[in-house]
Amino acid sequence: QGKKQGSDVPKGCLAIKVGSEGEEQQRFVVPVIYFNHPLFMQLLKEAEEEYGFDQKGTITIPCNVQEFRNVRGLIDRENSLHHHHHHHYVWCFRV
């Protein structure tokens, strides 16, 4: 199973690791279109501030796993509602 790590990522997707300090990191496979979404860009900015630009291997996002699931849900809902229409929203995070 160790060798299969990279081959289970579908075309157009990227594997990332998510987990805040003291939390076990989890692996997620996300569509590359996420990387253009403002909410995901904010997570990448946090990763840059935490780790810099020279992360080796899988991108790691220093975000609570449940918070990441919430963000992913918002992006998925927005994408399914608006099918490629470009709308810009200001989202509020509820914790």
Side-chain angles (χ1 to χ4, degrees):
Q1 194 178 17
K3 277 198 263 183
K4 201 177 157 233
Q5 185 89 1
S7 64
D8 63 339
V9 179
K11 191 171 183 162
C13 293
L14 204 63
I16 61 169
K17 288 185 201 161
V18 177
S20 54
E21 196 172 325
E23 176 181 45
E24 187 177 340
Q25 290 183 340
Q26 292 187 27
R27 184 173 177 267
F28 290 89
V29 176
V30 296
V32 291
I33 59 166
Y34 274 30
F35 286 76
N36 291 326
H37 194 282
L39 290 174
F40 201 83
M41 290 171 96
Q42 182 59 41
L43 293 175
L44 291 173
K45 187 170 168 35
E46 289 172 23
E48 177 202 335
E49 289 168 4
E50 180 84 17
Y51 304 115
F53 278 116
D54 25 326
Q55 287 193 52
K56 303 283 187 259
T58 307
I59 294 172
T60 303
I61 296 179
C63 168
N64 176 277
V65 171
Q66 189 54 51
E67 186 181 323
F68 176 78
R69 290 178 198 272
N70 294 342
V71 169
R72 186 177 66 171
L74 288 171
I75 295 171
D76 286 343
R77 269 196 301 280
E78 185 178 323
N79 286 342
S80 67
L81 285 173
H82 301 294
H83 298 298
H84 307 297
H85 296 290
H86 295 283
H87 296 281
H88 296 280
Y89 294 98
V90 176
W91 291 96
C92 294
F93 287 93
R94 291 188 188 176
V95 184

